[in-house]
């Protein structure tokens, strides 16, 4: 196993989540399959968000070897990615049916954090209570 793969999958699995690699007009998502399946879903949906939003590629590293980071792109992808996993309708469904968060995790295969975030940002609890 190459030392880079060993580092990312054995020594510091949190140091790499996913990245979109550009190859001409193609986008290829490379993700860390050492993460839990729920984390992998979040990682891939984040990268898919970059594609949906048509974010253009940046140089991966700057002249000092540090990771380039476009905050605007990341903020946009961080907002869209959870919505790809838990739609507004799904958030309302979770609340309306009285699903527990653990049940919603099993049903939608999304993390507790993503489910709670989407319930909160959609106002699902308040909307269901006001019906």
């Amino acid at each position: 196993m190459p030392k880079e793969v060993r580092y990312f999958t054995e020594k510091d699995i949190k140091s790499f989540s996913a990245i979109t690699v550009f190859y001409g007009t193609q986008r290829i998502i490379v993700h860390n399959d050492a993460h839990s399946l729920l984390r992998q879903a979040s990682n891939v949906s984040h990268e898919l968000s970059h594609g949906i939003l048509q974010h253009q590629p940046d140089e991966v590293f700057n002249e000092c070897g540090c990771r380039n980071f476009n905050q605007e792109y990341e903020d946009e992808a961080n907002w869209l990615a959870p919505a790809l996993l838990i739609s507004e309708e799904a958030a309302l469904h979770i609340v309306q049916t009285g699903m527990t968060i653990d049940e919603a995790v099993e049903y939608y295969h999304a993390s507790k954090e993503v489910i709670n975030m989407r319930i909160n940002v959609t106002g699902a609890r308040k909307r269901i209570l006001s019906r």
Side-chain angles (χ1 to χ4, degrees), residues 28-77:
I28 301 164
I29 296 173
V30 179
H31 72 97
N32 186 345
D33 62 0
H35 284 174
S36 72
L37 291 176
L38 299 181
R39 176 66 189 273
Q40 288 180 58
S42 291
N43 295 342
V44 171
S45 69
H46 178 91
E47 295 305 317
L48 287 171
S49 295
H50 286 299
I52 291 166
L53 295 164
Q54 299 183 356
H55 291 161
Q56 297 305 304
D58 287 330
E59 291 295 324
V60 178
F61 300 107
N62 66 20
E63 62 280 350
C64 298
C66 295
R67 178 87 164 83
N68 272 329
F69 191 77
N70 183 319
Q71 189 63 54
E72 183 178 349
Y73 282 2
E74 293 305 312
D75 290 345
E76 289 175 351

Side-chain angles (χ1 to χ4, degrees), residues 2-129:
K3 66 180 178 180
E4 296 84 0
V5 172
R6 190 174 306 115
Y7 179 82
F8 289 133
T9 60
E10 294 175 6
K11 292 189 181 235
D12 189 8
I13 66 170
K14 294 180 181 180
S15 66
F16 171 74
S17 297
I19 190 169
T20 300
V21 178
F22 289 80
Y23 183 72
T25 59
Q26 296 180 349
R27 295 171 186 247
I28 301 164
I29 296 173
V30 179
H31 72 97
N32 186 345
D33 62 0
H35 284 174
S36 72
L37 291 176
L38 299 181
R39 176 66 189 273
Q40 288 180 58
S42 291
N43 295 342
V44 171
S45 69
H46 178 91
E47 295 305 317
L48 287 171
S49 295
H50 286 299
I52 291 166
L53 295 164
Q54 299 183 356
H55 291 161
Q56 297 305 304
D58 287 330
E59 291 295 324
V60 178
F61 300 107
N62 66 20
E63 62 280 350
C64 298
C66 295
R67 178 87 164 83
N68 272 329
F69 191 77
N70 183 319
Q71 189 63 54
E72 183 178 349
Y73 282 2
E74 293 305 312
D75 290 345
E76 289 175 351
N78 285 339
W79 190 252
L80 179 57
L84 296 177
L85 295 172
I86 302 294
S87 66
E88 179 177 0
E89 292 80 8
L92 290 167
H93 177 257
I94 291 165
V95 174
Q96 187 170 31
T97 60
M99 244 187 238
T100 67
I101 297 300
D102 287 334
E103 290 169 336
V105 166
E106 283 295 313
Y107 189 80
Y108 288 103
H109 304 289
S111 69
K112 291 179 182 184
E113 294 81 9
V114 166
I115 292 167
N116 280 315
M117 180 263 204
R118 291 295 297 158
I119 288 171
N120 291 335
V121 300
T122 60
R125 287 187 184 95
K126 190 173 190 175
R127 291 166 66 186
I128 294 299
L129 286 174

